[in-house]
């Protein structure tokens, strides 16, 4: 489904890349695969496969810091809203304890990723 025109989004202050994305219609992530270089291979509902570099998020002192360890990073999943998600403590149900989950919205994942040749 098409969104409003790119000109509409530009008039609201969106940058050109975001304006084009939203005018073409938002994408939903259908698959996420963690890679050992701390990137994510994301498949979107239009069949497009993109690479998202998560390293810039993993700084010490941030909510993403626990995922600097591969065993934690590799536990990535898609939640019910198709957001890229991690549970801080895998033994805690994030549906019951909301502060246990960190996530990335599909829009930013699309905009901040690059097309993949995979």
């Amino acid at each position: 489904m098409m969104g409003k025109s790119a000109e509409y989004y530009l008039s609201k202050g969106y940058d050109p890349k975001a304006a084009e994305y939203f005018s073409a219609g938002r994408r939903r992530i259908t698959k996420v695969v963690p890679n050992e270089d701390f990137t994510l291979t994301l498949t979107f509902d239009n069949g497009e496969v993109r690479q998202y570099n998560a390293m810039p998020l993993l700084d010490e002192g941030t909510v993403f810091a626990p995922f600097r360890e591969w065993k934690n990073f590799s536990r990535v999943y898609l939640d019910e809203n198709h957001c890229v998600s991690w549970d801080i403590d895998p033994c805690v149900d994030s549906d019951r304890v909301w502060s246990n989950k960190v996530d990335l919205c599909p829009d930013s994942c699309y905009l901040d990723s690059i097309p993949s040749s995979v």
Side-chain angles (χ1 to χ4, degrees):
M1 180 175 172
M2 294 294 288
K4 296 180 179 174
S5 71
E7 292 76 21
Y8 168 82
Y9 291 104
L10 289 168
S11 76
K12 297 295 182 186
Y14 287 63
D15 66 52
K17 183 178 175 181
E20 285 298 320
Y21 167 78
F22 284 104
S23 69
R26 298 171 76 182
R27 297 286 173 227
R28 188 177 67 162
I29 302 170
T30 59
K31 183 178 178 183
V32 59
V33 176
N35 303 305
E36 290 184 9
D37 63 354
F38 294 90
T39 62
L40 300 168
T41 301
L42 305 171
T43 303
F44 289 85
D45 59 353
N46 64 348
E48 191 173 355
V49 178
R50 298 177 68 88
Q51 292 296 122
Y52 180 89
N53 181 5
M55 276 303 289
L57 301 174
L58 307 178
D59 289 339
E60 287 295 331
T62 70
V63 295
F64 291 96
F67 308 105
R68 293 171 61 96
E69 293 181 37
W70 172 249
K71 70 180 176 91
N72 294 333
F73 184 80
S74 66
R75 290 190 281 107
V76 68
Y77 65 95
L78 293 178
D79 71 8
E80 67 278 357
N81 297 312
H82 300 273
C83 296
V84 171
S85 304
W86 291 269
D87 294 328
I88 296 167
D89 181 340
C91 299
V92 173
D93 181 354
S94 288
D95 289 334
R96 297 176 59 115
V97 181
W98 68 267
S99 61
N100 187 57
K101 181 172 88 172
V102 295
D103 59 16
L104 303 170
C105 81
D107 298 330
S108 64
C109 285
Y110 189 91
L111 289 168
D112 295 337
S113 62
I114 58 171
S116 176
S117 59
V118 175

